Amino acid sequence: MKNILYATDYTEHSVSALRYAYDLSSRIKARLIVLHVFDVMTFTGTTVISSLRQTSKRLYEEQYSILKEYCIRHLGNNLSDMNIQIEVARNISITEETLLKVKELSVDMVVIGIKDKYSKRGFLEGDIAKKLITKISCPLMVIPNNSIATEIKNIVYATDFEEEDIFAIKRLLEIAAFFEATIHVVHISSKENDEDENQMAWFKEMLFQKVSYPNLEFDVLVSDNIHDKLNEYLKSLDADIIAMLERGRRGFIKKLFHKDVVKQIESHTTIPLLSFNIN
């Protein structure tokens, strides 16, 4: 993993996500790209359009200066020594610009903070996070407000026994291996039966054919309330990250966040959530 992109609206309430992104990137020796997407109202008047064109360079310089000062204020003065790259872009769509930057800058993972009421543009307002989760080609990490970067010891991967989960776990190992963290592969069933245990045994065998990592544990849990059971499991492990595969309208995420993926994440996630999208 070489490049991590963190997209921000540079409000004070996104500072914890910035610090988390930098701490993670520095620990795994990746470059942190800090991106701010700004927008300027457009008008039909010829004079106004001409004026906007003339001030385009100044707008970029101003936004770049603000973002740089934001990073210096919260991360330190020597950005050039910290493997940080600052990017500003003009686009009415934060989602579209983020996806463009992922391709343009060969980004390996995107980090975003959860929207709060103080966000000037509503960074995760509406469908932005949902679109990123379903369209992005690299892993997406969603950081809850006030998250503190710590040594990553326990990562929970929620599985529905799909072959694509194996691919996602292989990607997850790129992070876990740096910390020698334990990955807890868990499946939550609504009723106790031998089929789920057999499925887990099959999945474990398939996984070990593809990966070689000593710190893997496997659990099958039973509960009528999948969400509460998962939260209980996360707390019992003092988990640092919850990871799962984005499956659109099917599978574990649908069962876990059945009303609306993003709203449920925003409301209930208290630790970083790492989403993998298999296109």
Side-chain angles (χ1 to χ4, degrees), residues 53-119:
R53 287 172 178 169
Q54 292 173 4
T55 59
S56 178
K57 182 178 179 181
R58 179 177 57 82
L59 288 171
Y60 275 93
E61 290 174 348
E62 286 180 354
Q63 292 298 321
Y64 184 92
S65 178
I66 292 170
L67 184 56
K68 182 177 180 180
E69 173 58 31
Y70 175 78
C71 291
I72 289 174
R73 185 165 70 252
H74 298 294
L75 296 179
N77 293 320
N78 300 317
L79 296 185
S80 59
D81 298 330
M82 299 170 69
N83 202 16
I84 294 176
Q85 176 177 329
I86 295 174
E87 292 279 335
V88 295
R90 178 182 171 185
N91 198 320
I92 60 173
S93 170
I94 298 172
T95 301
E96 178 184 293
E97 189 61 39
T98 301
L99 294 173
L100 288 172
K101 289 298 182 185
V102 166
K103 293 182 179 180
E104 176 188 331
L105 302 174
S106 300
V107 170
D108 300 298
M109 182 169 72
V110 170
V111 177
I112 57 175
I114 289 180
K115 175 182 71 67
D116 59 57
K117 63 182 179 181
Y118 303 97
S119 178

Side-chain angles (χ1 to χ4, degrees), residues 10-258:
Y10 54 61
T11 63
E12 293 300 313
H13 297 271
S14 64
V15 172
S16 59
L18 169 67
R19 288 175 174 163
Y20 191 102
Y22 172 67
D23 186 78
L24 179 62
S25 66
S26 62
R27 287 172 184 261
I28 64 177
K29 304 186 187 311
R31 174 176 56 167
L32 177 63
I33 302 166
V34 182
L35 170 68
H36 174 67
V37 181
F38 67 96
D39 183 28
V40 177
M41 293 181 64
T42 56
F43 302 89
T44 55
T46 304
T47 302
V48 176
I49 291 175
S50 177
S51 176
L52 284 174
R53 287 172 178 169
Q54 292 173 4
T55 59
S56 178
K57 182 178 179 181
R58 179 177 57 82
L59 288 171
Y60 275 93
E61 290 174 348
E62 286 180 354
Q63 292 298 321
Y64 184 92
S65 178
I66 292 170
L67 184 56
K68 182 177 180 180
E69 173 58 31
Y70 175 78
C71 291
I72 289 174
R73 185 165 70 252
H74 298 294
L75 296 179
N77 293 320
N78 300 317
L79 296 185
S80 59
D81 298 330
M82 299 170 69
N83 202 16
I84 294 176
Q85 176 177 329
I86 295 174
E87 292 279 335
V88 295
R90 178 182 171 185
N91 198 320
I92 60 173
S93 170
I94 298 172
T95 301
E96 178 184 293
E97 189 61 39
T98 301
L99 294 173
L100 288 172
K101 289 298 182 185
V102 166
K103 293 182 179 180
E104 176 188 331
L105 302 174
S106 300
V107 170
D108 300 298
M109 182 169 72
V110 170
V111 177
I112 57 175
I114 289 180
K115 175 182 71 67
D116 59 57
K117 63 182 179 181
Y118 303 97
S119 178
K120 293 178 182 178
R121 293 186 63 190
F123 181 59
L124 293 188
E125 196 77 50
D127 292 333
I128 293 176
K130 184 186 294 183
K131 289 178 181 177
L132 281 176
I133 287 174
T134 57
K135 292 184 177 181
I136 200 163
S137 58
C138 65
L140 173 69
M141 180 175 281
V142 182
I143 308 294
N145 293 330
N146 302 316
S147 291
I148 299 174
T150 60
E151 190 75 19
I152 297 174
K153 297 179 179 178
N154 291 293
I155 301 173
V156 171
Y157 184 88
T159 181
D160 212 23
F161 305 132
E162 297 186 33
E163 290 188 34
E164 290 89 346
D165 283 318
I166 295 174
F167 171 83
I169 292 173
K170 288 178 68 176
R171 298 291 303 275
L172 182 58
L173 287 175
E174 296 177 24
I175 297 174
F178 277 96
F179 301 90
E180 298 183 349
T182 299
I183 298 177
H184 303 264
V185 181
V186 62
H187 175 78
I188 303 176
S189 177
S190 59
K191 58 182 179 181
E192 189 170 0
N193 56 66
D194 292 336
E195 183 179 348
D196 287 328
E197 292 288 351
N198 293 335
Q199 282 280 84
M200 181 62 87
W202 168 84
F203 183 80
K204 182 177 179 180
E205 181 180 352
M206 292 289 293
L207 181 61
F208 280 132
Q209 290 178 12
K210 302 292 184 180
V211 305
S212 177
Y213 188 69
N215 303 329
L216 281 166
E217 296 187 2
F218 302 83
D219 289 299
V220 175
L221 308 178
V222 180
S223 177
D224 291 331
N225 191 318
I226 295 176
H227 182 271
D228 286 350
K229 191 64 176 179
L230 179 60
N231 270 338
E232 179 185 314
Y233 185 71
L234 294 172
K235 290 178 182 178
S236 70
L237 294 171
D238 195 19
D240 301 294
I241 294 174
I242 167 70
M244 61 183 68
L245 182 71
E246 162 55 30
R247 298 172 174 85
R249 296 182 177 276
R250 60 192 178 91
F252 194 87
I253 271 192
K254 181 186 176 184
K255 289 185 286 185
L256 184 59
F257 304 120
H258 60 282

